[in-house]
Amino acid sequence: MRSPRLAALELKRFGRGRLPRAAMAAMLLLPLLYGALYLWSFWDPYDRLDKIPVALVNEDQGATAEGKKITAGDDIVHGLHDSDSFDWRQTSAKDARKGVEDGRYYLSLTVPKDFSKRVSSSSGDSPVTGALKVRTNDANNYIVGQLSRTVFSEVRASASSKVSRGFYDNIYLSFSTLHGKTADAAKGADDLGDGIGKAKEGAGKLKGGLGEAEGGSGSLKDGTATLHEGAGTLASGAGQVAEGTQKLADKVNGAAGAVRPYLDEHSGDIGKAARGVARTSETLKKNLGELPDAARRAKTDSREAADALSTLHENRCGKDTGGTGAPTRPSTGPSADPSAAPSAGPTAPSAGPSNGASPGPSGGAGSGTPKDLAAESCPQLKKAADAAERSATIAAKVDGYVKNEKHLDELGGHLDDLGTAATALADRAPHLTQDVDAAVRQINKLNRGAHAVSTGAHTLQTGLGTAKDGAATLDTGLGKLSDGAASLDGGLFKLADGSGKLAGGLHDGVQQIPDLGHKERDARTGVMADPVGLASDTAHAAPNYGTGFAPYFIPLSLWVGAMVAYMLLQPLNKRALAAGAPGWRIALAGWLPVAAIGVAQVAALMSVLHWALGLQMARGAATVGFLLLVTACFTALVQFLNARFGPAGRILVLAMLMLQLTSAGGTYPIQTSPGFFNALHPFLPMSYVVDGLRHLITGGQLWPVWRACLVLLAFAVGALALTALTARRKQVWTLERLRPEISL
């Protein structure tokens, strides 16, 4: 009988009766119950952490920093209540401690009294860290304690980040304030530089001005000395003037006393005389128009008379007067030019008649003869001729003067002035006494002023003496001040250079000091508070805890399914053994029924995992095909152990399951296991099954899958070959088979 037929006959046995059918159903569902229920129980345990009761104690009393109230404990409590990490139950410290002991709370978290104070100390002189207190009890549950460490690490990091963000935000706010103040300081430094530049310019001008002032002060010193000397002279002269004005005042006062009675008595006469002068000057001015003609006639007539007398003198007395001493004049006759004045010098006085005789009335000397008469009349005639000559000369000059109208105009003006003055005098004549009194008062006032000037001159002399000493002191002080101005100019040059560097440095500092807005500050404080981020990029990520552990529990359930199946089915068909069938046929006849059951187990298990629990597979068809190969391999191995070792084989199957579970690396990496399990890892099939299923369910490279397929094929073929060899040996009965040492 062929192997498939034998396998079918073996399966038909479980269709007879209720108990065999129940056993068949149990074989089909056992891997499902084992794998699906186990995975379901912790499919996503982190999603239900909010069901774990945890005591929360907030003893924080708050703090005040820089005038701002800080309640870090309340902030943490609010954040925990808003999170889904645990079922936070806020209570007292006593209740929390007791609850952790009796199991009502799996753990407790306490915020101490000084938490806010410690947190805010970062801005003080003695910063300390704030500490949250966690209390666990592994007697309640060890895994919860492990989970709490992860959760509380996140809580601590979040709290630290929040506190740090506030701290760094204050720093950046301080930077912004510092930026503004430094900008103001830079502007002030610019203004200072401008002011220093102006001050330096002013200092230069001051230096030059003080140099000039020093020279001027020297001149002032010399000038005040000269003034002091001159003031002495002035004081002496003013004293003399005062003496003179005093004498003048005395004389004027005395004269006024004498003149005043005369003026009082004759003021009317003075007025009349003045008015007569005014009328006369007016008359003269009116007759100025007739003066040129009269002067011309007078000039002509006087010249003719002078010439006639001269001719008469020459004719009668001759040119040479002899003993008479009279000069002789040639007889020239009348002058052709009547305006020309004859040259007539002074005439010597006559010596009188000869021998002292007086001339007689008839002109002779003693005898009364004409000769004697001529001798006696010649001197008188000479005088008359000379007088006529002088009159002609004067008449010519008068004619020459009045011939010029300008002279007449000037004379008219003078006559007008004389008339005006005379009229004014006539008008003032009744008031001459008052004028004299006014003049006396003015003279007295002048006298008093002269005495005041004399006193002031002496005071000026004294003051100029003091000024001379002060000018000397000023000259010395200006010398020192000039030296100081030179030093100031040099110092201001250095100060200007330093202020320029200060302004430049402050402007550079402004560029380097951050001035951030709210968004920029928030971004930067986030980075500063949590500078190291975790850029998690999981390749082929498992969506939940159950998906991650499915590659471990699926082969476990299939191994258990094969193990239970061979508890109910014979690993070797006894009929085939008794009939002497070939060993390979006997091996296949015992393997095929369980392999078929394994196919049904795979279908039931994967259907529930996929549609009931939501297991998502990156390569669904490949996963199912791979699992069929897995169940073929596992059933072959379980068949061989049961066929070769009989009842003891079941123990070996269980032992092999334990070894595979511990060395497959299904939970923790195999490198974390002891060396014994690391040594077993490469030699057991489940190690390759777990690795292959991970790449099929979550994705990834397929070479681990192909490697696993080759390993599973090798194990399956090898197990079937060993089973066939065992079947061949089982066809020979031995004493050991007839009386086994142990049976189940």
Side-chain angles (χ1 to χ4, degrees), residues 479-500:
K480 295 179 180 179
L481 190 59
S482 179
D483 296 338
S487 301
L488 175 63
D489 185 56
L492 284 175
F493 179 81
K494 295 180 180 179
L495 185 60
D497 183 61
S499 69

Side-chain angles (χ1 to χ4, degrees), residues 93 142 145 198 235 250 265 353 361 374 414 660 738:
Y142 176 76
K198 294 178 180 178
D250 294 340
E265 182 178 357
H414 294 327
Q660 290 189 107
L738 292 174

